[in-house]
């Protein structure tokens, strides 16, 4: 039978939270099992034990460590606890250990009045419990589902049952009732039609960097459904996510416009869509575009809304990336553009809730095989299956008659060539940095080895202030999006976290956990490739690569600390999250226990 869905979810919840705690709060005290004599009665199986001191509770936790990762993604077993006065260790459920860590964390956090601290602690506990429960629900529903082994784009998108590996509440979905998960949650692979509104043209704003206008793209998408739908003269059809449509119908400004005949709800129309891994971006294999909507749901840290400023930014970046010619120079590296947008302008706020971003869909039927997000490749094994990365490497090794280690090194070399090096070149040559974390990064593995990289996310661009004049000459539209420009020092921190720490190190850790090749071998390979790349750089990527190769610590986005302070980063100034730092495995710096340091980097 194996463990229950609840037990699997509990272990996943524990791993996610502990990963964050060790990175952001306390790296722990590590002891070889052979030298661990404090608890001789414990049933420890791993080679090491990680001990966390909870001084405020006069307690300690000892965590059986089955695999210790240089890149930071360890694999843990059972947990035991010691309380002052007991003079012995005892077993504890993983979720109870998490609750103890949360209590310790809020006890260490200064600068909050007691009532605010309690309120934020309650918020984190609620999100943690919800994420745990939702994960159990998803695992129970998808056990035995053969689509978990499919390589179709939408199947791999919907296979992320455990979610963000570096987030303490990866499946928190506040605002999405349980009965709606089966339709709108990607993990349950539901299908639905979009809701449409007929809106008087005087209220509609739109833009497009493509040959078709935004409203013509909508019309083409609608034609794939149950028959053509044509708007009345002087009106524009606006698609909305069904969850957002329910919210819109409660808004006074929308209800007033409906009463005046300026907005008319049409209900669900057109082809069937399904959610991608972000929940709010939807996909149909029959449609040339995906649609990214606002939805009234808090996912991980943030309420997911399209900001008005982001609409034009996506369109401008579609034009800019085209004009750089980068895709021609690096055909194996592609930025998926968001070339068009629509919204309805209503009095009272900058965003009405109708904001929709139209994204190119390179993965229509017939072109959707072998496409994986790096989050899907590196996710822990699901329901007794090997990880997706291990399955790919084993298949290649069997076909080629070579060792897993040899194939792994070749696979990793090609991954660096199509995903990491071009991203650094784009920043160095053109001053464009990408929020290239695991979920925003896709690989074409249709041939087994990485042959092409895709980046997605109109919210994830950083333009170098030092390249402002060059970029404005290249694409005058960037003058209307000054919020995209950042100082290079700030870009270095963010880009280093997203590209190197979040994406690259997660791939290295997966290879190590799966016992395909030693992490040290891949870290050496990264040092060698970046060392060869550095002399050919002459722009803003130079200090970034130097930092990665030489600094003992690297910037790290603290999702746990962001959650502790209840920061909605998408609505904060400059989308500011809490940043800290971690030891750099490329310099061999050993992790040392440090006190909690909460600081924000804009």
């Amino acid at each position: 039978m194996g463990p229950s869905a609840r037990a699997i979810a509990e272990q996943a919840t524990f791993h996610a939270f502990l990963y964050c705690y060790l990175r952001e709060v306390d790296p722990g005290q590590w002891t070889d099992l052979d030298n661990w004599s404090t608890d001789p009665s414990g049933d420890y199986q791993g080679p090491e034990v990680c001990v966390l001191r909870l001084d405020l509770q006069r307690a300690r936790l000892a965590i059986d460590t089955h695999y210790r990762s240089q890149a930071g993604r360890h694999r843990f077993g059972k947990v035991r606890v010691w309380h002052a006065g007991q003079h012995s260790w005892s077993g504890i459920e993983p979720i109870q250990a998490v609750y103890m860590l949360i209590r310790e964390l809020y006890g260490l956090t200064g600068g909050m009045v007691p009532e605010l601290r309690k309120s934020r602690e309650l918020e984190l506990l609620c999100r943690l419990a919800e994420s745990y429960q939702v994960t159990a629900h998803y695992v129970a529903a998808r056990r035995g589902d053969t689509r978990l082994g499919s390589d179709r784009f939408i199947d791999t998108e919907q296979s992320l049952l455990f979610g963000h590996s570096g987030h303490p509440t990866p499946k928190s979905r506040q605002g999405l009732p349980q009965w709606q998960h089966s339709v709108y949650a990607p993990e349950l692979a539901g299908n639905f039609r979009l809701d449409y509104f007929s809106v008087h043209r005087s209220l509609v704003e739109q833009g497009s960097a493509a040959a078709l206008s935004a409203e013509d793209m909508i019309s083409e998408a609608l034609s794939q459904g149950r028959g053509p739908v044509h708007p009345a003269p002087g009106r524009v059809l606006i698609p909305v996510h069904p969850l957002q449509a329910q919210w819109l119908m409660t808004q006074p400004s929308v209800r007033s416009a409906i009463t005046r005949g300026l907005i008319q709800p049409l209900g669900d129309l057109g082809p069937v869509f399904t959610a991608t891994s972000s929940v709010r971006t939807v996909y149909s294999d029959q449609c040339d575009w995906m649609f990214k909507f606002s939805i009234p749901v808090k996912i991980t840290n943030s309420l997911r809304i399209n900001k008005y400023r982001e609409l034009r930014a996506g369109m401008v970046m579609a034009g800019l990336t085209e004009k750089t010619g980068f895709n021609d120079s690096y055909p194996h590296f592609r930025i998926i553009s968001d070339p068009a947008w629509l919204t309805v302008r209503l009095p009272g706020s900058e965003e009405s809730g109708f904001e929709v971003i139209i994204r190119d869909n390179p993965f229509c039927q017939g072109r959707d095989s072998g496409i994986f997000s790096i989050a899907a490749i590196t996710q822990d094994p699901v329901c007794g299956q090997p990880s997706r990365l291990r399955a790919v490497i084993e298949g290649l090794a069997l076909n080629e008659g070579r060792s897993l280690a040899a194939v792994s090194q070749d696979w990793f070399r090609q991954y660096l060539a199509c995903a990491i090096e071009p991203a650094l070149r784009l920043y160095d040559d053109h001053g464009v940095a990408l929020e290239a974390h695991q979920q925003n990064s896709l690989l074409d593995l249709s041939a087994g080895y990485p042959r092409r990289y895709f980046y997605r996310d109109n919210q994830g661009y950083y333009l170098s202030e030092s390249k402002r004049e060059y970029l404005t000459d290249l694409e005058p539209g960037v003058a209307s999006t000054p919020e995209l420009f950042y100082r290079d020092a700030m870009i270095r921190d963010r880009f280093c976290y997203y590209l190197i720490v979040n994406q690259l190190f997660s791939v290295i850790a997966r290879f190590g956990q799966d016992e395909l090749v030693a992490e040290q071998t891949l870290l050496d390979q990264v040092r060698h490739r970046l060392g060869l790349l550095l002399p050919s750089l002459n722009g803003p990527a130079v200090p970034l690569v130097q930092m990665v190769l030489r600094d003992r610590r690297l910037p790290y986005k603290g999702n746990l600390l962001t959650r502790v302070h209840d920061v909605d980063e998408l609505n904060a100034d400059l989308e500011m999250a809490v940043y800290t730092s971690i030891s750099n495995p490329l310099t061999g710096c050993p992790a040392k226990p440090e006190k909690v340091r909460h600081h924000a980097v804009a």
Side-chain angles (χ1 to χ4, degrees):
M1 282 288 292
S4 68
R6 185 214 53 78
I8 292 171
E10 180 175 10
Q11 196 65 23
T13 300
F14 174 65
H15 268 79
F17 192 93
L18 188 57
Y19 174 91
C20 296
Y21 194 92
L22 293 173
R23 289 289 222 183
E24 304 171 40
V25 182
D26 180 357
Q29 298 170 322
W30 296 78
T31 305
D32 290 340
L33 186 59
D34 292 341
N35 299 323
W36 177 247
S37 58
T38 308
D39 180 23
S41 63
D43 181 21
Y44 298 95
Q45 298 178 352
E48 293 184 79
V49 177
C50 177
V51 178
L52 291 169
R53 296 177 60 92
L54 308 183
D55 291 338
L56 297 178
Q57 299 168 72
R58 302 181 66 203
R60 284 181 286 167
L61 296 175
I63 303 123
D64 190 10
T65 306
H66 295 173
Y67 176 81
R68 185 179 180 186
S69 168
Q70 290 175 267
R73 195 167 164 181
H74 318 297
R75 187 169 67 246
F76 299 107
K78 294 180 179 181
V79 194
R80 292 172 70 80
V81 64
W82 175 90
H83 290 284
Q86 287 187 346
H87 307 296
S88 65
W89 293 84
S90 58
I92 184 174
E93 294 296 323
I95 198 65
Q96 295 300 322
V98 172
Y99 294 152
M100 291 184 70
L101 292 173
I102 290 175
R103 174 187 284 185
E104 191 76 11
L105 185 51
Y106 277 97
L108 292 170
T109 302
M112 291 187 203
V113 297
E115 191 59 32
L116 179 60
R117 182 184 296 116
K118 284 296 182 183
S119 176
R120 289 180 172 173
E121 184 176 355
L122 177 61
E123 176 72 8
L124 177 53
L125 287 168
C126 287
R127 292 196 186 190
L128 179 83
E130 183 201 24
S131 180
Y132 173 19
Q133 184 180 47
V134 166
T135 303
H137 177 48
Y138 291 165
V139 171
R142 295 297 300 276
R143 264 187 159 169
D145 189 337
T146 57
R147 288 174 296 179
L148 290 176
S150 166
D151 71 347
R152 290 183 62 238
F153 164 72
I154 194 57
D155 291 333
T156 64
E157 283 289 288
Q158 296 179 339
S159 69
L160 293 172
L161 306 190
F162 299 144
H164 191 328
S165 62
H167 198 281
T169 61
K171 288 301 174 183
S172 174
R173 302 275 171 87
Q174 285 183 322
L176 187 64
Q178 186 172 9
W179 65 270
Q180 291 182 325
H181 283 244
S182 61
V183 181
Y184 303 119
E187 296 84 355
L188 299 184
N191 295 303
F192 53 90
R193 288 185 169 83
L194 305 179
D195 277 40
Y196 281 80
F197 291 80
S198 173
V199 182
H200 194 275
R201 188 173 292 277
S202 63
L203 299 183
V204 175
E205 286 192 36
Q206 60 178 301
S208 175
L212 287 177
S213 68
E215 62 181 289
D216 285 342
M217 293 178 183
I218 299 299
S219 295
E220 280 207 7
L222 269 169
S223 70
Q224 301 294 325
R226 294 172 287 191
V229 179
H230 301 290
R235 302 185 76 89
V236 178
L237 298 180
I238 308 288
V240 173
H241 194 288
L243 291 171
Q244 186 73 355
Q246 297 170 34
W247 179 86
L248 286 168
M249 293 298 289
T250 69
Q251 303 308 299
S253 59
V254 176
R255 292 165 62 183
S256 174
I258 290 173
T259 301
R260 294 159 57 202
L262 297 173
I263 295 177
Q264 178 187 1
L266 302 178
D268 64 300
L269 298 171
V272 167
F273 284 84
T274 189
T276 62
S277 59
S278 71
V279 184
R280 65 190 180 118
T281 301
V282 301
Y283 164 88
S284 167
D285 63 6
Q286 302 296 315
C287 186
D288 290 332
W289 298 281
M290 302 184 212
F291 299 103
K292 182 178 181 180
F293 298 107
S294 295
I295 55 174
V297 179
K298 278 188 176 181
I299 300 172
T300 57
N301 290 338
S302 306
L303 182 66
R304 300 298 163 158
I305 57 176
N306 291 327
K307 294 289 191 177
Y308 181 74
R309 67 177 183 269
E310 294 164 355
L311 305 179
R312 181 166 178 79
M315 181 182 73
V316 168
M317 288 306 302
L320 176 62
T321 52
E322 177 83 18
K323 290 175 181 177
T324 63
F326 194 78
N327 284 340
D328 295 330
S329 301
Y330 293 88
H332 51 282
F333 185 95
R334 176 175 173 184
I335 296 174
I336 299 175
S337 67
D338 299 321
W341 58 274
L342 297 94
T343 190
V344 177
R345 294 309 295 251
L346 295 172
S349 63
E350 191 171 17
E351 289 88 26
S352 64
F354 283 94
E355 290 74 24
V356 55
I357 293 165
I358 303 175
R359 172 171 295 170
D360 283 340
N361 178 14
F363 311 122
C364 289
Q365 190 174 44
R367 293 182 284 136
D368 60 344
S369 296
I371 307 298
F372 297 81
S373 72
I374 290 177
I377 294 168
T378 61
Q379 180 178 232
D380 285 338
V382 177
C383 302
Q385 299 179 354
S387 76
R388 298 309 298 259
L389 180 60
R390 184 172 182 90
V392 168
I393 298 299
E394 284 181 340
L396 289 169
L398 183 63
N399 289 338
E400 298 173 10
R402 296 199 296 152
S403 70
L404 293 174
V407 170
S408 295
Q409 290 180 70
D410 285 347
W411 192 100
F412 188 72
R413 189 176 299 110
Q414 293 188 42
Y415 157 69
L416 292 177
C418 77
I420 302 300
E421 293 174 17
L424 293 170
R425 287 282 186 193
L426 178 64
Y427 179 46
D428 196 63
D429 294 346
H430 303 289
V432 178
L434 306 174
E435 207 165 275
H437 58 65
Q438 298 174 45
Q439 193 165 304
N440 282 348
S441 300
L442 308 171
L443 291 177
D444 178 355
L445 301 182
S446 54
Y449 293 97
R451 59 190 298 180
R452 200 173 191 188
Y453 170 91
F454 298 87
Y455 173 78
R456 59 178 175 193
D457 190 10
N458 73 309
Q459 293 174 302
Y461 292 107
Y462 303 99
L463 303 185
S464 169
E465 184 63 50
S466 65
K467 297 267 190 180
R468 184 187 284 265
E469 184 176 352
Y470 159 73
L471 293 171
T472 304
D473 289 343
L474 193 63
E475 172 50 73
V478 301
S480 66
T481 57
E483 70 278 1
L484 292 179
F485 286 91
Y486 295 82
R487 293 175 289 107
D488 281 307
M490 184 191 302
I491 293 176
R492 275 198 298 277
D493 279 355
R494 293 191 176 192
F495 197 26
C496 177
Y497 166 71
Y498 287 117
L499 182 71
I500 304 299
V501 178
N502 184 295
Q503 185 196 141
L504 174 60
F505 288 173
S506 73
V507 174
I508 292 173
R510 184 76 265 156
F511 272 106
Q513 278 202 354
D514 287 344
E515 300 180 341
L516 296 167
V517 63
E519 289 186 34
Q520 187 60 57
T521 299
L522 300 184
L523 290 168
D524 290 343
Q525 193 176 137
V526 170
R527 271 195 296 268
H528 177 70
R529 292 292 289 267
L530 292 183
L532 292 177
L533 179 68
L534 186 58
S536 66
L537 303 175
N538 57 17
V542 171
L544 168 61
V545 174
Q546 288 174 337
M547 176 175 72
V548 171
L549 287 174
R550 301 171 188 174
D551 284 14
R552 290 167 61 83
R553 300 190 70 82
L554 296 177
Y556 187 80
K557 179 185 172 187
N559 283 307
L560 174 56
L561 297 181
T562 299
R563 191 64 276 120
V564 165
H565 291 280
D566 198 22
V567 175
D568 183 336
E569 62 197 276
L570 295 185
N571 288 307
D573 291 341
L574 297 177
E575 296 190 1
M576 185 168 58
V578 178
Y579 271 67
T580 181
S581 67
I582 61 169
S583 59
N584 182 1
L586 289 167
T587 61
C589 173
K592 295 181 179 179
E594 297 184 359
K595 292 184 178 180
V596 183
R597 295 178 300 136
H598 300 186
H599 64 280
V601 175

